[in-house]
Amino acid sequence: ADLLVSPLPHEVTPQIFNRHKGRMFTILRDPLERVVSLFYYLQKASHEPTYNPALQSMTLEEYVNSDLAESNFISRTLINKMEAPFEERDFEV
């Protein structure tokens, strides 16, 4: 392929670099804008697998303080640690 697009770089990196001299670039969305947008989207998107009708009656503040909000998806994706708790060494350069 001439171009691979993925929100999960650890899944496509071997496809690019194991067989080819590839180049990689990243476009990141503002994390706060992303959370706000996701909240309002999930309030209405009944077709989504992650849809939860409880979101319809929640405020944004209630959502971010609940267990329903994502746990820093961008950081977790970049360090390839989607579920375990963060540790200080996860962010060492």
Side-chain angles (χ1 to χ4, degrees), residues 34-78:
R34 188 181 170 284
V35 169
V36 171
S37 176
L38 180 64
F39 168 68
Y40 289 117
Y41 171 73
L42 289 177
Q43 280 188 312
K44 300 173 186 170
S46 58
H47 61 280
E48 277 289 328
T50 56
Y51 174 73
N52 184 335
L55 294 175
Q56 291 179 348
S57 61
M58 292 179 98
T59 66
L60 178 59
E61 184 176 358
E62 290 169 335
Y63 171 70
V64 297
N65 290 313
S66 76
D67 291 335
L68 299 174
E70 288 182 341
S71 176
N72 208 333
F73 176 79
I74 294 172
S75 295
R76 291 185 173 286
T77 300
L78 292 173

Side-chain angles (χ1 to χ4, degrees), residues 11-52:
E11 291 184 8
V12 298
T13 301
Q15 296 174 21
I16 296 171
F17 297 108
N18 286 350
R19 294 179 283 153
H20 306 285
K21 184 178 180 179
R23 293 186 181 142
M24 186 174 195
F25 67 93
T26 302
I27 299 173
L28 299 174
R29 186 172 176 188
D30 180 284
L32 294 177
E33 288 180 13
R34 188 181 170 284
V35 169
V36 171
S37 176
L38 180 64
F39 168 68
Y40 289 117
Y41 171 73
L42 289 177
Q43 280 188 312
K44 300 173 186 170
S46 58
H47 61 280
E48 277 289 328
T50 56
Y51 174 73
N52 184 335

